[in-house]
Amino acid sequence: MGDGTRTRQAPGAVAYDDVNELIATATRLMQKDAAPDTLTPEDLRRIGEELDIPARYVDQALEALARRREDEARARERRSLLRRARLRQGALAGVVLVGVLAVPGLIVRNGLTTQLAEVARKRAQVRNVVERREALHARLDQLTPGLNRDAEVAGADNRVAVERRRYDERAAEYNASAASFPTSWVVRLSGLPPVLPLSPEVSSW
C-alpha cells in the first residue's frame, strides 16, 4: 500500500518467497518415507533381471554378504572378549602390584613400630632415673654431708647421663631409618613420626 501500512500475515501462512523451498523439502521427506529401508531377495532378483544379471549370481552375492556379516560379527565379538580379558588382566595385575607393594610396606612399618616402641621404653627409663634424682635432691638436706652424699648425687647424675645416651642412640637409629628411601614414604603414609627429638631437645621427660 502507498501509505506504508504493512500487510499482516495470518498465523501459519507462508510467504511466496518460501514456497519453493517448502515444496522441495516436503518432496524429499515424501521420497524418504516411500523408499524402503531394506530389499527382499525377490526385489534384488527383480533388479538383477532388469540389469541382465542371472538370479544365481544375485543369490551367490547374498550368500557372500551374509558370510561377511557373520565374519564381521564374530570379529566384533572376539575384540569385545579380548578387551574384557585385558581389563581383567589389568585389574588382576593392579591387585598383584598393590599386594607386592603392600607386603614390604607392612614389613617396614612393623620394623619402625618396633623401633618406636624401643625408643619409648628408653624414654621411660630416662624419666624414671630423672625422677629418682629429683627425689634425691629433695632430701639432700636430710643427708649427712660427706663422701656418701656426694657419691649418691654423682651416681644419680651418672645414671641419668647413661639412660639419656641410650635413649639418644635408639632415637637416632629410628630417625635414620625413617629418613631413608623408601621407608620415608611408609612413614608418611602410615602416620608415624618422621623424626624423634634427641635428649638436648627434650624439655620434659
Side-chain angles (χ1 to χ4, degrees):
M1 296 177 65
D3 58 359
T5 303
R6 300 178 61 183
T7 303
R8 292 184 178 180
Q9 291 183 351
V14 178
Y16 282 107
D17 293 342
D18 296 329
V19 170
N20 289 338
E21 182 181 353
L22 188 145
I23 296 300
T25 301
T27 302
R28 285 196 301 271
L29 292 173
M30 182 181 68
Q31 290 173 346
K32 181 179 179 181
D33 288 342
D37 292 334
T38 59
L39 295 175
T40 65
E42 289 76 14
D43 293 333
L44 294 173
R45 292 189 190 98
R46 188 164 50 253
I47 293 172
E49 185 178 352
E50 293 175 358
L51 299 174
D52 294 329
I53 300 175
R56 68 176 184 276
Y57 293 116
V58 173
D59 292 339
Q60 291 175 7
L62 286 171
E63 292 174 0
L65 177 63
R67 286 194 299 270
R68 183 162 65 85
R69 291 285 186 260
E70 290 176 359
D71 292 342
E72 290 174 351
R74 283 195 292 267
R76 285 194 299 271
E77 180 63 20
R78 283 195 298 269
R79 288 195 295 270
S80 178
L81 291 174
L82 183 59
R83 282 196 299 270
R84 290 198 291 268
R86 286 175 178 172
L87 288 174
R88 286 195 296 269
Q89 290 175 353
L92 180 60
V95 171
V96 172
L97 180 60
V98 169
V100 169
L101 294 176
V103 171
L106 185 60
I107 294 173
V108 170
R109 187 182 186 281
N110 289 342
L112 287 171
T113 303
T114 301
Q115 284 185 301
L116 193 59
E118 180 64 16
V119 173
R121 192 174 71 84
K122 292 301 179 183
R123 181 164 181 157
Q125 291 274 43
V126 176
R127 183 168 56 250
N128 181 46
V129 294
V130 167
E131 289 175 351
R132 289 168 59 186
R133 184 180 65 178
E134 290 174 352
L136 174 63
H137 281 253
R139 59 187 180 88
L140 279 179
D141 293 338
Q142 302 174 5
L143 298 177
T144 303
L147 294 178
N148 288 338
R149 190 178 79 167
D150 294 342
E152 285 193 51
V153 172
D157 290 340
N158 185 57
R159 283 190 291 274
V160 170
V162 169
E163 294 302 333
R164 288 179 62 168
R165 185 176 67 251
R166 290 173 177 171
Y167 165 83
D168 285 341
E169 290 173 355
R170 296 295 179 269
E173 289 175 0
Y174 175 89
N175 291 343
S177 298
S180 63
F181 181 83
T183 306
S184 57
W185 286 98
V186 177
V187 170
R188 295 179 186 177
L189 294 174
S190 61
L192 294 172
V195 63
L196 297 176
L198 300 181
S199 58
E201 304 165 325
V202 177
S203 57
S204 175
W205 293 97

